[in-house]
Amino acid sequence: MEAVVPATSKFVGELQMACQSEGCPVCRVLTQYEQRYWEGLLYEQVNDGGVRAALRAARGFCAVHTQAFAMLPGAPFAGAIITTDLLTTLLQLTQEGRRTSVPIWQQWLPWHMVAQKTALARRLRPRRPCPACEHMAQLAGQVVATLVRALEQEQFARAFNSSDGLCLPHMMQAISLPSLPPAAREELLVRQRTIWQRLADRLAAFVQQHDYRWGSAVGLEHDQVHWRHALTALSGARYGRDELVLIAAPNQSLLCARWRSPRS
């Protein structure tokens, strides 16, 4: 059974402010906290034994978070420390994988060669998820639960209704909360459907303005950004201070897709 994720009141103000900006408010709040995660790693935890052990077990960050890490101002020095440690780990693992007590004449038998390759691949496989994914997934659960609970407040509900609403990944996460009563789930669906319909109507109007049967395109520049709203509404996003900087993978709020259990 899925664990109940507690709502945290400290996120309410940040979510309400995020509702005033473009895109999913949960994505915006998580972007802010991801930046704080990186700052803590770069300036306080890069030499922390537990952090380094988690990175070794995960074989580093996933592709999405590696890209995010590489864009940080302090990444070169911290990145060199982290990757040196990771490469040293890989060298040790591959060296250990080459050691064998089997006689030399048996090492060239087909069955032994296959078993040796399989064992080596198993050694190199990540033993845990990307630490950044794991941290953000836990945080996402708290932020989503807080947003759903905050919809009981009239002021917050009005802010949400006028926002771009939740992206599809965070909407799925919200309606899957084990502690969410059926009435609250239905209310959230009604609010989100209204937001999606509003976006769909704007997109339809934009398409019609560019239809040759209606003459030349006369759409305003403001109307031309709705197609991007639709993209991020489906995928989720990362944001800079004012602009969209990266469309994230659909599983942004979940554990990274590259991780597989050592038993798989």
Side-chain angles (χ1 to χ4, degrees), residues 156-203:
F156 185 89
R158 287 199 304 268
F160 181 80
N161 290 345
S162 61
S163 75
D164 288 337
L166 295 175
C167 64
L168 180 57
H170 289 136
M171 180 60 183
M172 291 189 297
Q173 190 172 8
I175 62 178
S176 300
L177 290 172
S179 58
L180 186 64
R185 181 178 292 106
E186 181 61 26
E187 181 181 355
L188 175 61
L189 281 170
V190 170
R191 295 180 188 278
Q192 186 66 44
R193 281 175 53 83
T194 300
I195 291 170
W196 280 338
Q197 186 62 61
R198 184 172 65 215
L199 178 57
D201 291 344
R202 290 173 177 172
L203 286 168

Short mmCIF file of all heavy atoms in Angstrom, two decimals, residues 156-203:
data_model
loop_
_atom_site.label_atom_id
_atom_site.label_comp_id
_atom_site.label_asym_id
_atom_site.label_seq_id
_atom_site.Cartn_x
_atom_site.Cartn_y
_atom_site.Cartn_z
N PHE A 156 -7.06 30.45 -1.68
CA PHE A 156 -6.16 29.61 -2.48
C PHE A 156 -6.90 28.99 -3.66
O PHE A 156 -6.36 28.89 -4.76
CB PHE A 156 -5.55 28.51 -1.61
CG PHE A 156 -4.52 27.69 -2.34
CD1 PHE A 156 -3.18 28.08 -2.33
CD2 PHE A 156 -4.87 26.55 -3.04
CE1 PHE A 156 -2.22 27.34 -3.02
CE2 PHE A 156 -3.91 25.81 -3.73
CZ PHE A 156 -2.59 26.21 -3.71
N ALA A 157 -8.12 28.57 -3.44
CA ALA A 157 -8.90 27.95 -4.52
C ALA A 157 -9.09 28.94 -5.67
O ALA A 157 -9.01 28.55 -6.85
CB ALA A 157 -10.25 27.49 -3.99
N ARG A 158 -9.34 30.22 -5.35
CA ARG A 158 -9.49 31.23 -6.41
C ARG A 158 -8.19 31.39 -7.18
O ARG A 158 -8.19 31.52 -8.41
CB ARG A 158 -9.92 32.56 -5.81
CG ARG A 158 -11.36 32.61 -5.34
CD ARG A 158 -11.83 34.06 -5.20
NE ARG A 158 -10.97 34.83 -4.31
CZ ARG A 158 -11.19 34.97 -3.01
NH1 ARG A 158 -12.24 34.40 -2.45
NH2 ARG A 158 -10.36 35.69 -2.26
N ALA A 159 -7.07 31.38 -6.46
CA ALA A 159 -5.76 31.51 -7.13
C ALA A 159 -5.51 30.32 -8.05
O ALA A 159 -5.01 30.48 -9.17
CB ALA A 159 -4.65 31.63 -6.08
N PHE A 160 -5.86 29.13 -7.59
CA PHE A 160 -5.66 27.94 -8.41
C PHE A 160 -6.55 27.98 -9.65
O PHE A 160 -6.12 27.62 -10.75
CB PHE A 160 -5.95 26.68 -7.60
CG PHE A 160 -5.75 25.41 -8.36
CD1 PHE A 160 -4.48 24.87 -8.54
CD2 PHE A 160 -6.83 24.73 -8.92
CE1 PHE A 160 -4.28 23.70 -9.27
CE2 PHE A 160 -6.66 23.56 -9.64
CZ PHE A 160 -5.38 23.05 -9.82
N ASN A 161 -7.79 28.39 -9.48
CA ASN A 161 -8.72 28.43 -10.61
C ASN A 161 -8.25 29.35 -11.72
O ASN A 161 -8.53 29.11 -12.90
CB ASN A 161 -10.10 28.88 -10.14
CG ASN A 161 -10.79 27.83 -9.27
OD1 ASN A 161 -10.38 26.67 -9.25
ND2 ASN A 161 -11.81 28.24 -8.55
N SER A 162 -7.55 30.41 -11.37
CA SER A 162 -7.06 31.36 -12.37
C SER A 162 -5.67 31.01 -12.88
O SER A 162 -5.12 31.71 -13.73
CB SER A 162 -7.06 32.78 -11.80
OG SER A 162 -6.19 32.86 -10.68
N SER A 163 -5.08 29.93 -12.37
CA SER A 163 -3.74 29.52 -12.77
C SER A 163 -3.79 28.60 -13.98
O SER A 163 -4.86 28.32 -14.52
CB SER A 163 -3.03 28.81 -11.61
OG SER A 163 -3.55 27.49 -11.45
N ASP A 164 -2.61 28.11 -14.40
CA ASP A 164 -2.54 27.12 -15.48
C ASP A 164 -2.81 25.71 -14.98
O ASP A 164 -2.75 24.75 -15.76
CB ASP A 164 -1.16 27.17 -16.15
CG ASP A 164 -0.98 28.42 -17.00
OD1 ASP A 164 -2.01 29.00 -17.42
OD2 ASP A 164 0.17 28.82 -17.23
N GLY A 165 -3.05 25.56 -13.68
CA GLY A 165 -3.37 24.25 -13.13
C GLY A 165 -2.18 23.32 -13.04
O GLY A 165 -1.04 23.69 -13.29
N LEU A 166 -2.46 22.08 -12.68
CA LEU A 166 -1.40 21.08 -12.53
C LEU A 166 -1.02 20.50 -13.88
O LEU A 166 -1.86 20.34 -14.77
CB LEU A 166 -1.88 19.95 -11.62
CG LEU A 166 -2.16 20.31 -10.16
CD1 LEU A 166 -2.75 19.12 -9.43
CD2 LEU A 166 -0.90 20.78 -9.46
N CYS A 167 0.26 20.16 -14.01
CA CYS A 167 0.69 19.40 -15.19
C CYS A 167 0.15 17.97 -15.04
O CYS A 167 -0.27 17.56 -13.95
CB CYS A 167 2.21 19.39 -15.31
SG CYS A 167 3.06 18.56 -13.95
N LEU A 168 0.16 17.22 -16.12
CA LEU A 168 -0.40 15.87 -16.09
C LEU A 168 0.29 14.96 -15.06
O LEU A 168 -0.40 14.25 -14.31
CB LEU A 168 -0.33 15.26 -17.49
CG LEU A 168 -0.89 13.84 -17.63
CD1 LEU A 168 -2.35 13.78 -17.19
CD2 LEU A 168 -0.75 13.36 -19.08
N PRO A 169 1.64 14.94 -14.96
CA PRO A 169 2.26 14.07 -13.94
C PRO A 169 1.82 14.41 -12.52
O PRO A 169 1.55 13.51 -11.73
CB PRO A 169 3.76 14.33 -14.14
CG PRO A 169 3.89 14.76 -15.56
CD PRO A 169 2.67 15.57 -15.84
N HIS A 170 1.74 15.70 -12.21
CA HIS A 170 1.35 16.07 -10.85
C HIS A 170 -0.15 15.92 -10.62
O HIS A 170 -0.59 15.70 -9.49
CB HIS A 170 1.82 17.49 -10.53
CG HIS A 170 3.30 17.59 -10.39
ND1 HIS A 170 4.06 18.59 -10.95
CD2 HIS A 170 4.18 16.75 -9.76
CE1 HIS A 170 5.34 18.39 -10.66
NE2 HIS A 170 5.43 17.28 -9.94
N MET A 171 -0.95 16.02 -11.69
CA MET A 171 -2.37 15.75 -11.55
C MET A 171 -2.59 14.27 -11.24
O MET A 171 -3.40 13.91 -10.36
CB MET A 171 -3.09 16.14 -12.85
CG MET A 171 -4.60 15.91 -12.82
SD MET A 171 -5.42 16.86 -11.51
CE MET A 171 -7.10 16.29 -11.70
N MET A 172 -1.88 13.40 -11.93
CA MET A 172 -1.99 11.96 -11.66
C MET A 172 -1.56 11.65 -10.24
O MET A 172 -2.16 10.82 -9.55
CB MET A 172 -1.15 11.17 -12.67
CG MET A 172 -1.69 11.21 -14.08
SD MET A 172 -0.83 10.07 -15.21
CE MET A 172 0.84 10.75 -15.19
N GLN A 173 -0.51 12.33 -9.79
CA GLN A 173 -0.03 12.11 -8.43
C GLN A 173 -1.06 12.58 -7.41
O GLN A 173 -1.28 11.93 -6.39
CB GLN A 173 1.30 12.84 -8.23
CG GLN A 173 2.01 12.49 -6.94
CD GLN A 173 3.41 13.08 -6.87
OE1 GLN A 173 3.80 13.87 -7.72
NE2 GLN A 173 4.15 12.71 -5.85
N ALA A 174 -1.71 13.71 -7.70
CA ALA A 174 -2.69 14.28 -6.78
C ALA A 174 -3.91 13.37 -6.62
O ALA A 174 -4.35 13.09 -5.49
CB ALA A 174 -3.13 15.66 -7.25
N ILE A 175 -4.47 12.90 -7.72
CA ILE A 175 -5.68 12.08 -7.63
C ILE A 175 -5.38 10.67 -7.12
O ILE A 175 -6.31 9.92 -6.82
CB ILE A 175 -6.42 12.01 -8.98
CG1 ILE A 175 -5.55 11.36 -10.06
CG2 ILE A 175 -6.87 13.40 -9.43
CD1 ILE A 175 -6.25 11.21 -11.40
N SER A 176 -4.09 10.33 -7.03
CA SER A 176 -3.70 9.01 -6.52
C SER A 176 -3.36 9.04 -5.04
O SER A 176 -3.01 8.00 -4.47
CB SER A 176 -2.49 8.48 -7.31
OG SER A 176 -2.80 8.35 -8.68
N LEU A 177 -3.45 10.21 -4.41
CA LEU A 177 -3.12 10.30 -2.98
C LEU A 177 -4.06 9.38 -2.19
O LEU A 177 -5.28 9.48 -2.30
CB LEU A 177 -3.27 11.74 -2.49
CG LEU A 177 -2.23 12.74 -2.98
CD1 LEU A 177 -2.63 14.16 -2.56
CD2 LEU A 177 -0.85 12.41 -2.43
N PRO A 178 -3.52 8.47 -1.40
CA PRO A 178 -4.37 7.53 -0.66
C PRO A 178 -5.27 8.20 0.36
O PRO A 178 -6.31 7.66 0.73
CB PRO A 178 -3.36 6.59 0.00
CG PRO A 178 -2.09 7.37 0.07
CD PRO A 178 -2.08 8.26 -1.13
N SER A 179 -4.86 9.39 0.84
CA SER A 179 -5.65 10.08 1.87
C SER A 179 -6.70 11.02 1.28
O SER A 179 -7.42 11.67 2.03
CB SER A 179 -4.70 10.88 2.78
OG SER A 179 -3.96 11.82 2.01
N LEU A 180 -6.81 11.10 -0.05
CA LEU A 180 -7.72 12.04 -0.68
C LEU A 180 -9.15 11.48 -0.70
O LEU A 180 -9.40 10.46 -1.33
CB LEU A 180 -7.25 12.33 -2.11
CG LEU A 180 -8.00 13.41 -2.88
CD1 LEU A 180 -7.83 14.77 -2.20
CD2 LEU A 180 -7.51 13.49 -4.32
N PRO A 181 -10.10 12.15 -0.04
CA PRO A 181 -11.49 11.68 -0.05
C PRO A 181 -12.08 11.77 -1.47
O PRO A 181 -11.66 12.61 -2.26
CB PRO A 181 -12.20 12.66 0.90
CG PRO A 181 -11.11 13.29 1.71
CD PRO A 181 -9.92 13.34 0.81
N PRO A 182 -13.04 10.92 -1.79
CA PRO A 182 -13.66 10.95 -3.12
C PRO A 182 -14.22 12.32 -3.49
O PRO A 182 -14.11 12.75 -4.65
CB PRO A 182 -14.77 9.89 -3.00
CG PRO A 182 -14.29 8.96 -1.94
CD PRO A 182 -13.55 9.81 -0.96
N ALA A 183 -14.83 13.02 -2.55
CA ALA A 183 -15.41 14.34 -2.84
C ALA A 183 -14.32 15.34 -3.21
O ALA A 183 -14.49 16.14 -4.13
CB ALA A 183 -16.21 14.84 -1.64
N ALA A 184 -13.19 15.29 -2.50
CA ALA A 184 -12.09 16.20 -2.81
C ALA A 184 -11.46 15.86 -4.16
O ALA A 184 -11.06 16.75 -4.91
CB ALA A 184 -11.03 16.13 -1.71
N ARG A 185 -11.39 14.57 -4.47
CA ARG A 185 -10.86 14.14 -5.78
C ARG A 185 -11.75 14.66 -6.91
O ARG A 185 -11.27 15.17 -7.91
CB ARG A 185 -10.74 12.63 -5.82
CG ARG A 185 -10.18 12.10 -7.14
CD ARG A 185 -10.03 10.59 -7.13
NE ARG A 185 -8.99 10.17 -6.20
CZ ARG A 185 -9.20 9.58 -5.03
NH1 ARG A 185 -10.46 9.36 -4.63
NH2 ARG A 185 -8.21 9.22 -4.25
N GLU A 186 -13.06 14.55 -6.73
CA GLU A 186 -13.99 15.03 -7.75
C GLU A 186 -13.91 16.54 -7.91
O GLU A 186 -13.95 17.07 -9.03
CB GLU A 186 -15.42 14.62 -7.37
CG GLU A 186 -16.47 15.03 -8.38
CD GLU A 186 -16.25 14.41 -9.75
OE1 GLU A 186 -15.64 13.32 -9.83
OE2 GLU A 186 -16.68 15.03 -10.75
N GLU A 187 -13.76 17.26 -6.80
CA GLU A 187 -13.64 18.72 -6.86
C GLU A 187 -12.37 19.12 -7.61
O GLU A 187 -12.39 20.05 -8.43
CB GLU A 187 -13.63 19.31 -5.45
CG GLU A 187 -13.54 20.84 -5.44
CD GLU A 187 -13.53 21.41 -4.04
OE1 GLU A 187 -13.69 20.63 -3.08
OE2 GLU A 187 -13.34 22.63 -3.91
N LEU A 188 -11.27 18.43 -7.33
CA LEU A 188 -10.03 18.72 -8.03
C LEU A 188 -10.17 18.46 -9.53
O LEU A 188 -9.70 19.24 -10.36
CB LEU A 188 -8.89 17.88 -7.45
CG LEU A 188 -7.53 17.96 -8.16
CD1 LEU A 188 -7.00 19.40 -8.14
CD2 LEU A 188 -6.53 17.02 -7.52
N LEU A 189 -10.82 17.35 -9.88
CA LEU A 189 -11.03 17.03 -11.29
C LEU A 189 -11.85 18.12 -11.99
O LEU A 189 -11.55 18.51 -13.12
CB LEU A 189 -11.73 15.69 -11.42
CG LEU A 189 -10.86 14.44 -11.25
CD1 LEU A 189 -11.73 13.19 -11.15
CD2 LEU A 189 -9.87 14.31 -12.40
N VAL A 190 -12.89 18.61 -11.33
CA VAL A 190 -13.72 19.66 -11.91
C VAL A 190 -12.89 20.92 -12.16
O VAL A 190 -12.97 21.53 -13.23
CB VAL A 190 -14.92 19.97 -11.00
CG1 VAL A 190 -15.65 21.23 -11.47
CG2 VAL A 190 -15.88 18.79 -10.97
N ARG A 191 -12.11 21.31 -11.17
CA ARG A 191 -11.27 22.50 -11.32
C ARG A 191 -10.25 22.32 -12.45
O ARG A 191 -10.05 23.21 -13.28
CB ARG A 191 -10.53 22.80 -10.00
CG ARG A 191 -11.43 23.19 -8.85
CD ARG A 191 -10.62 23.47 -7.59
NE ARG A 191 -11.43 23.67 -6.43
CZ ARG A 191 -12.05 24.80 -6.09
NH1 ARG A 191 -11.88 25.86 -6.86
NH2 ARG A 191 -12.78 24.88 -5.00
N GLN A 192 -9.60 21.16 -12.49
CA GLN A 192 -8.56 20.92 -13.50
C GLN A 192 -9.17 20.82 -14.90
O GLN A 192 -8.60 21.32 -15.87
CB GLN A 192 -7.78 19.65 -13.17
CG GLN A 192 -6.59 19.39 -14.07
CD GLN A 192 -5.50 20.44 -13.92
OE1 GLN A 192 -5.16 20.85 -12.82
NE2 GLN A 192 -4.96 20.90 -15.04
N ARG A 193 -10.32 20.20 -15.02
CA ARG A 193 -10.98 20.10 -16.31
C ARG A 193 -11.37 21.48 -16.84
O ARG A 193 -11.28 21.75 -18.04
CB ARG A 193 -12.22 19.20 -16.21
CG ARG A 193 -11.90 17.71 -16.22
CD ARG A 193 -13.16 16.88 -16.00
NE ARG A 193 -14.21 17.24 -16.96
CZ ARG A 193 -14.29 16.76 -18.20
NH1 ARG A 193 -13.38 15.90 -18.63
NH2 ARG A 193 -15.26 17.13 -19.00
N THR A 194 -11.79 22.35 -15.95
CA THR A 194 -12.12 23.73 -16.35
C THR A 194 -10.90 24.43 -16.89
O THR A 194 -10.96 25.15 -17.91
CB THR A 194 -12.69 24.51 -15.15
OG1 THR A 194 -13.87 23.86 -14.68
CG2 THR A 194 -13.03 25.94 -15.55
N ILE A 195 -9.75 24.23 -16.24
CA ILE A 195 -8.49 24.84 -16.69
C ILE A 195 -8.06 24.27 -18.03
O ILE A 195 -7.66 25.01 -18.95
CB ILE A 195 -7.40 24.64 -15.62
CG1 ILE A 195 -7.73 25.46 -14.37
CG2 ILE A 195 -6.02 25.04 -16.17
CD1 ILE A 195 -6.84 25.14 -13.18
N TRP A 196 -8.15 22.95 -18.19
CA TRP A 196 -7.79 22.32 -19.47
C TRP A 196 -8.71 22.80 -20.59
O TRP A 196 -8.25 23.04 -21.71
CB TRP A 196 -7.87 20.80 -19.34
CG TRP A 196 -6.68 20.19 -18.68
CD1 TRP A 196 -5.43 20.72 -18.56
CD2 TRP A 196 -6.62 18.90 -18.05
NE1 TRP A 196 -4.60 19.86 -17.89
CE2 TRP A 196 -5.30 18.74 -17.57
CE3 TRP A 196 -7.55 17.89 -17.85
CZ2 TRP A 196 -4.88 17.58 -16.90
CZ3 TRP A 196 -7.14 16.74 -17.18
CH2 TRP A 196 -5.82 16.59 -16.71
N GLN A 197 -9.99 22.93 -20.29
CA GLN A 197 -10.93 23.39 -21.31
C GLN A 197 -10.62 24.82 -21.74
O GLN A 197 -10.69 25.16 -22.92
CB GLN A 197 -12.36 23.31 -20.79
CG GLN A 197 -13.43 23.63 -21.82
CD GLN A 197 -13.40 22.64 -22.97
OE1 GLN A 197 -13.60 21.43 -22.78
NE2 GLN A 197 -13.16 23.12 -24.19
N ARG A 198 -10.25 25.65 -20.79
CA ARG A 198 -9.88 27.03 -21.09
C ARG A 198 -8.66 27.07 -22.02
O ARG A 198 -8.63 27.83 -22.99
CB ARG A 198 -9.60 27.77 -19.79
CG ARG A 198 -9.28 29.26 -19.95
CD ARG A 198 -9.22 29.91 -18.58
NE ARG A 198 -8.13 29.40 -17.78
CZ ARG A 198 -8.18 29.24 -16.45
NH1 ARG A 198 -9.30 29.50 -15.79
NH2 ARG A 198 -7.14 28.77 -15.79
N LEU A 199 -7.69 26.23 -21.72
CA LEU A 199 -6.50 26.18 -22.57
C LEU A 199 -6.84 25.63 -23.95
O LEU A 199 -6.37 26.14 -24.97
CB LEU A 199 -5.43 25.31 -21.90
CG LEU A 199 -4.12 25.09 -22.67
CD1 LEU A 199 -3.46 26.41 -23.00
CD2 LEU A 199 -3.18 24.21 -21.86
N ALA A 200 -7.67 24.59 -24.00
CA ALA A 200 -8.06 24.02 -25.29
C ALA A 200 -8.81 25.04 -26.15
O ALA A 200 -8.61 25.12 -27.37
CB ALA A 200 -8.94 22.78 -25.07
N ASP A 201 -9.67 25.85 -25.52
CA ASP A 201 -10.41 26.88 -26.26
C ASP A 201 -9.45 27.93 -26.83
O ASP A 201 -9.62 28.40 -27.97
CB ASP A 201 -11.43 27.56 -25.35
CG ASP A 201 -12.57 26.62 -24.96
OD1 ASP A 201 -12.73 25.58 -25.63
OD2 ASP A 201 -13.27 26.92 -23.97
N ARG A 202 -8.46 28.30 -26.06
CA ARG A 202 -7.50 29.30 -26.54
C ARG A 202 -6.67 28.74 -27.69
O ARG A 202 -6.38 29.45 -28.66
CB ARG A 202 -6.59 29.72 -25.39
CG ARG A 202 -7.28 30.56 -24.33
CD ARG A 202 -6.37 30.81 -23.13
NE ARG A 202 -7.01 31.66 -22.15
CZ ARG A 202 -6.51 31.92 -20.94
NH1 ARG A 202 -5.35 31.36 -20.59
NH2 ARG A 202 -7.14 32.70 -20.11
N LEU A 203 -6.29 27.48 -27.58
CA LEU A 203 -5.54 26.85 -28.67
C LEU A 203 -6.38 26.75 -29.93
O LEU A 203 -5.89 26.99 -31.04
CB LEU A 203 -5.08 25.45 -28.24
CG LEU A 203 -3.91 25.41 -27.23
CD1 LEU A 203 -3.76 24.00 -26.69
CD2 LEU A 203 -2.62 25.87 -27.87
#
